[in-house]
Amino acid sequence: MYNQMFRDCTSLTDAPEIMLSSANASNCMSYMFAGCTSLSSVTVHFKTWPKASYLNNWLSGVAPTGIFRCPAELPDERGNGRIPEGWTK
């Protein structure tokens, strides 16, 4: 679906708001923002983490610090497929 959509877009600073539904397919957002070195703001609306395969490396290679906006219920999980290390939730 959105697999690699913005990959290596170095001028992107704010990600478009992310909506996921149970209908989204596996790997739908893999590498979506990978290599977006200026990306420092992401907003999601899901309250539970999708399967890891949905978000594989979706935020790898983004800015070392940033803001991750999400519902309070979303667990604060870091690393591949989750919130980047160095970002605030």
Side-chain angles (χ1 to χ4, degrees):
M1 180 181 275
Y2 305 114
N3 191 3
Q4 301 189 43
M5 180 180 257
F6 298 101
R7 187 172 189 164
D8 298 323
C9 181
T10 57
S11 62
L12 185 66
T13 57
D14 298 305
E17 291 190 25
I18 308 298
M19 308 275 189
L20 282 178
S21 72
S22 59
N24 292 119
S26 180
N27 294 315
C28 64
M29 290 175 49
S30 291
Y31 296 93
M32 185 174 184
F33 301 108
C36 294
T37 55
S38 298
L39 183 65
S40 61
S41 176
V42 172
T43 301
V44 300
H45 294 282
F46 39 86
K47 296 177 182 178
T48 60
W49 286 105
K51 292 180 184 178
S53 64
Y54 286 27
L55 302 175
N56 185 37
N57 289 302
W58 74 310
L59 294 172
S60 63
V62 296
T65 59
I67 299 171
F68 191 89
R69 293 177 186 86
C70 60
E73 306 92 296
L74 187 68
D76 189 346
E77 297 178 12
R78 306 294 171 137
N80 182 34
R82 299 297 187 250
I83 302 168
E85 298 290 342
W87 284 37
T88 58
K89 176 182 174 219

